[in-house]
Amino acid sequence: GAGVSQSPSNKVTEKGKDVELRCDPISGHTALYWYRQSLGQGLEFLIYFQGNSAPDKSGLPSDRFSAERTGGSVSTLTIQRTQQEDSAVYLCASSPEPRATGELFFGEGSRLTVL
Amino acid sequence: TQLLEQSPQFLSIQEGENLTVYCNSSSVFSSLQWYRQEPGEGPVLLVTVVTGGEVKKLKRLTFQFGDARKDSSLHITAAQPGDTGLYLCAGANAGGTSYGKLTFGQGTILTVHP
């Protein structure tokens, strides 16, 4: 596609339910990142994929959070037993290759609200 | 843990005024990026600075990277309502397994009134 695509754009769920958030990166981009953004705040790093492997999972807040990437393309972020503090916008970004000076191309995010 | 402190958090100004946003850290970064984000959208890259002391200009926006590569500033001249948005600085470190991973500041919400 032309840009990074994320779905759903909005998700409202009840505390304790599991949710899946999907990211479809720009075709050909090998690096994929998940970030979390609280209201009006900066971005908090969650996990980084190079191809299908995740060399850096250091930002995942707890073992309720997991992510996978298949075929070097689509990634899914799963949050189990959601809590109210999980409410945030989850942003996915991709880049052609992992470079320190490389631009990250962000999707529009998935806004998660946990009631 | 590397941290980036951005200031001010909020800035409300009139059209035509000048402003500066600061991004400071006690850590050294190999590069620093500035992003702009509008409501309901993802951040979009404005500039990347790599060399200590580097100054880059993008129309009315001037970006500077500190000599020690620990701080950066964004200066906007003659702000316009279209400049309204959330401005984010982000630092990167080369090497290791986190190549390309960015540490973001908290952001500056800029509102320019007509």
Side-chain angles (χ1 to χ4, degrees), chain A residues 33 35 37 40-45 48 55-56 58-59 91 98-109 111, chain B residues 9 30-31 33 35 37 40-43 45 48 50 86 88 92-94 97-102 104-106 109:
Chain A
Y33 306 79
Y35 283 85
Q37 184 175 32
Q41 296 288 305
L43 280 65
E44 173 191 14
F45 169 80
Y48 152 61
D56 189 349
S58 62
L91 288 160
R99 290 189 298 122
T101 57
E103 175 179 2
L104 295 190
F105 295 83
F106 284 88
E108 294 185 343
R111 180 177 297 278
Chain B
Q9 264 193 288
S30 60
S31 68
Q33 299 180 348
Y35 287 80
Q37 184 179 21
E41 299 183 6
L45 181 69
T48 301
V50 179
L86 174 65
L88 296 156
N93 272 313
T97 58
S98 300
Y99 217 65
K101 169 184 170 183
L102 296 176
F104 280 84
Q106 313 98 303
I109 298 175

Side-chain angles (χ1 to χ4, degrees), chain A residues 43-60:
Chain A
L43 280 65
E44 173 191 14
F45 169 80
L46 297 178
I47 188 169
Y48 152 61
F49 285 93
Q50 174 54 29
N52 290 337
S53 62
D56 189 349
K57 309 178 182 180
S58 62
L60 294 178

